[in-house]
Amino acid sequence: MAKGLAEDLITNGAQVEVPATALVMVLLTMFVDTLAGSISGPVLPYYAKSFGVGVAQIGWLYAVWSFSSTVFAPQLTRISDRIGRRPVLLASLLGAGFANILQGVCTSIPIYGFYVFVFARFFSGIWAAVGSTCNVYVTDVVPEESRGAFLAKLSLIFPIAIFFGPGIGGGLSKFGLNVPVLVDGSVTLASFVFVYIYLPETPAFLRTKQARKDAAEGKASPNAGEQVKIPLAVHLLGFSNLLMGMGLSTRLSTYAILMKDVFEWSALEIGFNFMAGSLVMMFTNIFICPRITKTLGEAGSLAFGRVLQAIGYVGIAVSGHLWITLVFYAVVSVGDGINFAMTNAYLANFTHPTNRGAVFGAAAVYLNLGRMLGPVTSTHLASYFGSGTPGAFGAGASFVMAASVSAVGSVIPLMVIRLQPQKGKPLLEKRGSAYGDDWADEEGANQDYEALGRKVAAMLQKKHYKWVSRREEVELFLDTIIPELKTSNKDTYESEWHSVLHGGSRANAMSG
C-alpha cells in the first residue's frame, strides 16, 4: 500500500514508460547534484584563499568552470541521442565526482596545488550535464499531457537545494575548508552507484536505437531513427534563456554588493535574504504555477514570469529603501519560480525522441552563455556608476540592464507560439458507421496512437514480454492473434467483435 501511494505521488496516475522508482531516482539524482554544488559553492572563495592567491586568481576558478560547462557539457547531453540517456548520466556523475574529490585534495599538493585546483574546476565543468540529461530522461518517459507537471517538479529541486545547501556547507567548513568540496564529490559518486543499480534506459531511446539498427539492416526505411533537426523555435527560446541567464547571474553577482554598500548588510543577512527568496520560489512553483498555466498556457506563463523579473529588477534599481528593495526582490523570486518551472516544460514541446539531447543541450549552451555575460557586464556597470550610491545611475545600474534583457526575453515565448507543433486533429468523436462498400477504417489523432501504444506497451511489460529487444517478433505475434473483422454489414461485424471480445475474456480467465 505504501509503495502504491508513493508511485501515485510521483506519477500522478500517469502511464509512464518506466517504473516509478526510476522517476524517483531521477528526482533524487538531480536534487543531490544541485545540493552538492550548493554545499561547496559558497566555500570555494575561502578555500581558494588558503592557497595564498589573490582575488584575480580566484576568478579563474569560476571562469574555467563556466567555459568548460558551456563548451563541453551540452555536447554530452547531445551525445545521449546516440548512446543513451543512462550512459551519459552515469558518465556525468562519475566525472563530476572525481573532479570534486580532486579539488578537495589539492591542499596536499605543496607547490602546484592551486593550478591543480584550477584544472579540477575545468574538468568538473566538462561533466556538468546532470540537470539537462535528467530533463531529457523525464521528457522521454512521461506522456505529453503530464510532461509539464513532471518537469516542474524537477525545477522545484533548485530552490530546495539552494535553501539547504549553503548552510550545510558552512557547517562542514568548520572541519576544514576542503571538507564541503570532498562531501560534494562523495555524494556525487554515491549517486553514480544508485543510478547504475536502479535506473534503466528509456524505452523511447531503445526504440530509436532499434529503428536505426533496422534501417542499417534494410528492415526499415533508411530514414528510420534519423535525428530530427533542431527547430528554429529552440534557438529563439535559447536566446530568451541567454537573456534570462544574464539577469540571473547579474543578481547573483551584484545584489550582495548592492545590499552591503547601500544598506550595510552583512553576509549573514544576505544569506537569509537568499534563503527567503528560495522559499518564495518554492511557494510559486507549488501553488502559483499550476493556476497561471491553466489560464495563460505555458508560453504565456513564461512571458509573465519574465515580465515579473523585469519589474522586480527595476524596483531594486530605483528603490534606495531597504524594505521596498526586499519587496521587489520577492517579485523577482516569483518570476524565477515561474521561469524555472515553465522553461523546460515549454521547450519539451519542440523535441523528438531522436533529438531531445541536442535540444536540451543547445538550451544549456544559451543559458550558460548568459551566465558568463551577466557578471562581466553587471560588474563593469557597477564599477562605472559606483556601487555605494542608490538609484538607477548608481548601484542599481546593473539591475536596469537586467530588467532590459528580461523585458526583451518576455516577448520571445509569445513569438514562438505559432512555431509550436500542432497537437493533431481533435480526438475521434463517436459517429455512425457505414458498412459494406462504404466502410471507412477509423484513424485517430496523434494522441490516440500514443495513448494506445503506451497502454499496449505497459500490458506487454507487465506480462513479461521483451517488447523492445524482440519488437519484430512481438509485432508478428500481435498480427497473428488479432483477427480481421468482416465489415459486410453491421450484424456480422458486431457478432464477430463480440466473439473476439468474449473469447479474449475466457482466455484471460483460464490463464488466471
Side-chain angles (χ1 to χ4, degrees), residues 50-326:
S50 68
F51 291 90
V53 298
V55 175
Q57 285 76 18
I58 293 174
W60 296 353
L61 298 173
Y62 294 93
V64 297
W65 190 92
S66 296
F67 176 78
S68 60
S69 64
T70 300
V71 174
F72 297 105
Q75 302 309 315
L76 268 182
T77 311
R78 179 185 291 268
I79 290 172
S80 73
D81 289 331
R82 305 302 304 180
I83 67 174
R85 321 315 189 189
R86 185 173 181 271
V88 168
L89 192 55
L90 287 170
S92 299
L93 291 169
L94 189 63
F98 278 121
N100 290 326
I101 294 293
L102 181 59
Q103 292 177 60
V105 300
C106 286
T107 50
S108 61
I109 303 174
I111 300 178
Y112 299 104
F114 179 73
Y115 297 102
V116 176
F117 190 12
V118 173
F119 168 77
R121 286 286 294 170
F122 176 86
F123 188 66
S124 175
I126 293 175
W127 306 102
V130 173
S132 296
T133 309
C134 285
N135 284 317
V136 173
Y137 193 100
V138 169
T139 306
D140 264 0
V141 303
V142 177
E144 184 178 350
E145 63 272 13
S146 305
R147 193 177 290 157
F150 275 85
L151 292 172
K153 284 181 181 177
L154 282 182
S155 71
L156 183 59
I157 287 171
F158 177 77
I160 294 175
I162 295 299
F163 182 80
F164 290 105
I168 296 173
L172 290 172
S173 67
K174 299 298 182 183
F175 300 98
L177 290 174
N178 64 333
V179 171
V181 184
L182 291 171
V183 169
D184 182 350
S186 299
V187 297
T188 303
L189 291 176
S191 296
F192 166 83
V193 174
F194 283 106
V195 168
Y196 182 83
I197 296 173
Y198 293 110
L199 193 71
E201 183 55 83
T202 69
F205 172 76
L206 294 176
R207 287 193 293 270
T208 301
K209 182 180 179 182
Q210 184 65 41
R212 292 191 186 116
K213 181 181 177 182
D214 290 347
E217 296 175 354
K219 299 178 182 178
S221 167
N223 296 326
E226 184 177 332
Q227 187 178 61
V228 174
K229 291 183 179 180
I230 299 177
L232 173 63
V234 171
H235 294 291
L236 292 174
L237 290 173
F239 182 68
S240 181
N241 275 1
L242 184 151
L243 299 177
M244 182 181 75
M246 288 184 66
L248 177 63
S249 58
T250 293
R251 177 158 54 89
L252 292 176
S253 60
T254 59
Y255 180 76
I257 297 173
L258 181 147
M259 298 301 285
K260 177 180 178 294
D261 291 351
V262 175
F263 301 113
E264 299 181 349
W265 266 30
S266 67
L268 179 63
E269 291 168 315
I270 293 171
F272 280 125
N273 190 173
F274 284 151
M275 290 176 66
S278 297
L279 286 176
V280 172
M281 290 171 62
M282 285 185 259
F283 179 87
T284 301
N285 187 296
I286 297 171
F287 297 106
I288 297 178
C289 286
R291 289 169 172 78
I292 66 168
T293 304
K294 289 181 180 179
T295 304
L296 302 177
E298 290 175 348
S301 299
L302 198 55
F304 181 62
R306 302 267 202 274
V307 169
L308 286 180
Q309 285 180 316
I311 293 172
Y313 288 141
V314 169
I316 292 173
V318 303
S319 172
H321 297 279
L322 176 60
W323 286 105
I324 296 178
T325 300
L326 294 177

Side-chain angles (χ1 to χ4, degrees), residues 385-455:
F385 287 100
S387 60
T389 306
F393 296 99
S398 57
F399 289 94
V400 173
M401 181 273 292
S404 301
V405 297
S406 295
V408 173
S410 69
V411 179
I412 296 175
L414 301 177
M415 295 170 52
V416 170
I417 289 179
R418 63 182 59 190
L419 301 177
Q420 186 171 341
Q422 297 297 312
K423 299 291 185 181
K425 58 186 178 181
L427 297 178
L428 188 67
E429 298 179 357
K430 291 184 178 180
R431 60 177 184 267
S433 298
Y435 295 89
D437 294 337
D438 295 325
W439 172 266
D441 290 319
E442 290 185 348
E443 293 185 8
N446 292 335
Q447 301 100 307
D448 296 298
Y449 291 113
E450 291 180 5
L452 182 60
R454 289 180 183 278
K455 183 66 176 178

